[in-house]
Amino acid sequence: MENLQIALKDYSLSVSTVPEKGRSLFASRDFYPGDVIIGQEPYICVPKNSSLSTPKRCDGCFITSNVLRRCSRCHVAYYCGTTCQRSEWELHRLECEVLSRLDMDKRKSVTPSIRLMVRLYLRRKLQDDKVIPSTAMDNYNLVEALVAHMSDITEEQLVLYAQMANLVYSILQWPEINIKEIAENFSKFACNAHTICDSELRPVGTGLYPVISIINHSCLPNSVLVFEGRSALVRAVQHIPAGIEVVISYIETAGSTITRQKALKEQYLFTCTCPRCSKMGQKDDIQESAILEGYRCKNEKCGGLLLRTTDGKGFQCQGCQLVMGKEEIKEIITEIELLSEEAASKSSFSCSYQEVISIYKKTEKLQTKLYHPFSISLMQTREKILKSLMELEHWTEALAYCKLTIPFYEKVYPSVHPLLGLQYYTCGKLEWYLGEAEEAVKSLTKAVDILRITHGTNTPFMKDLLMKLEEARAEASYKWSSIHC
């Protein structure tokens, strides 16, 4: 801990233990929006590959390609070229040795989670043998210090971890390692490992970042975790004065307090007490929950929020006082669920996007009658329609749906949030494709204003976005000058 404290001084950070929260990361100086608070390479990581997934991802840089070269010995690792293969060689040399002992069927059972655990012990061995260096921010002691919550997990989960631990033990075949310790590390992974995402927040792998894992959760975070390749970066999204705790969000924050609390308890095994969650049950919180996840009045001229009646037999509009019976609502919800199942079924059987869109539009129509315009369920349906329309390259209709989602994003996310920035980016990109240069400039400018804070400006994605914005500005200027000449 002392060595870590010394290392964190270089980042103007410190670790303190806070009651009910445990270890916490605090700023030792002021940080401002866009500042990189801390960065860390993964102690271990694996790409999002499985025996069935195609195309595969490179083990070194996580890019996806149909022309990756597979390790000829273990047939598990993939590389885009010699640079990535060499960078991974020390670790993969040992990994390849243990995986190659397995028959081909057993190798298919080596999921990313199993592989991550195997790599954890192999990397520890490499550091113990001084083959690769250990530092204050890169050593197995940091993994040991992570919370496992073993006393809080279910018996079913314990059995699963024990089975996975036995598989890892059989792969490594090291008598000195303890199956109980492996199971405990799987519990640590569940609470502390991070999904590695690309610049557009699409999952590409999983990594363990022991120092980043010290950062606690808040539903009103002052910083955001993003990735550049495999490197994790925490950036400030608002002013963080010296002495204030650095916090990120572990979950999707667009949800009611009850939904957020449930997600945190199930995945991370704690109850959030952040300023947003502390308002649970208060008038504003009840209203927010009703908007995001509740029902609306069926009177089109009203559209007020419905709250459960005191006798529990129905829901009453807070505007016109009209009551909707539970059975009436249940009937609509059942119809929505059946349509959702049909859409999911057709998607899994590779039916045409047009068929799937048709079902989603029926769902949308029912949801529009039942839910508030800012309903999460309605937004998710429109996102699915948008995605399908873009697959079909139906740009005009896709833009219309993208514009429908923007008010929701503006409502549920802070003004500086990567998802809001990316939605503006999608909108601007569609406007650009359709020749709406002036509108594209407005949307792309909004995207840049947010994403330069959350993502920085050095990634290929951001450089491409900045170039798109300049091209849109040039075209808009040309069109304007053509009209006014």
Side-chain angles (χ1 to χ4, degrees), residues 339 342-343 346 352-366 381 384-385 388-389 392 397 401:
L339 285 169
E342 185 183 355
K346 286 187 178 295
S352 74
Y353 281 110
Q354 204 62 60
E355 284 184 80
V356 175
I357 288 170
S358 176
I359 298 167
Y360 281 139
K361 284 185 176 179
K362 291 177 184 175
T363 306
E364 178 194 21
K365 189 174 181 180
L366 287 171
T381 299
K384 290 170 184 174
I385 296 171
S388 299
L389 288 168
L392 290 173
E397 194 176 3
Y401 268 92

Side-chain angles (χ1 to χ4, degrees), residues 257-277:
T257 303
I258 292 173
T259 298
R260 297 193 314 274
Q261 292 276 13
K262 183 173 182 286
L264 289 165
K265 194 69 176 174
E266 288 177 355
Q267 176 66 46
Y268 299 100
L269 306 170
F270 72 87
T271 300
C272 182
T273 56
C274 75
R276 190 175 173 195
C277 287

Side-chain angles (χ1 to χ4, degrees), residues 56-73:
K56 304 294 186 184
R57 292 189 178 276
C58 172
D59 272 52
C61 63
F62 284 19
I63 68 159
T64 184
S65 170
N66 288 313
V67 292
L68 297 179
R69 288 182 287 182
R70 184 173 66 174
C71 175
S72 58
R73 188 180 179 197

Side-chain angles (χ1 to χ4, degrees), residues 138-206:
D138 181 22
N139 64 78
Y140 188 77
N141 291 336
L142 295 172
V143 179
E144 287 186 318
L146 296 174
V147 177
H149 290 291
M150 288 296 281
S151 60
D152 298 321
I153 63 176
T154 63
E155 187 175 339
E156 183 183 2
Q157 201 68 51
L158 276 170
V159 171
L160 176 61
Y161 290 156
Q163 291 170 341
M164 294 166 73
N166 271 299
L167 178 55
V168 171
Y169 186 83
S170 70
I171 291 170
L172 290 171
Q173 296 180 19
W174 292 354
E176 67 273 18
I177 63 170
N178 186 304
I179 291 179
K180 185 179 178 182
E181 180 196 319
I182 301 173
E184 187 173 326
N185 278 333
F186 271 119
S187 188
K188 288 181 180 180
F189 282 3
C191 301
N192 295 283
H194 288 94
T195 299
I196 300 170
C197 297
D198 65 12
S199 294
E200 295 184 63
L201 304 188
R202 295 171 297 207
V204 298
T206 305

Side-chain angles (χ1 to χ4, degrees), residues 31-37 222-224 234-240 416 453-454:
F31 288 95
Y32 296 91
D35 285 353
V36 174
I37 298 170
N222 55 25
S223 52
V224 64
V234 177
R235 292 180 182 274
V237 294
Q238 61 189 57
H239 176 216
I240 305 172
V416 179
I453 293 173
T454 60

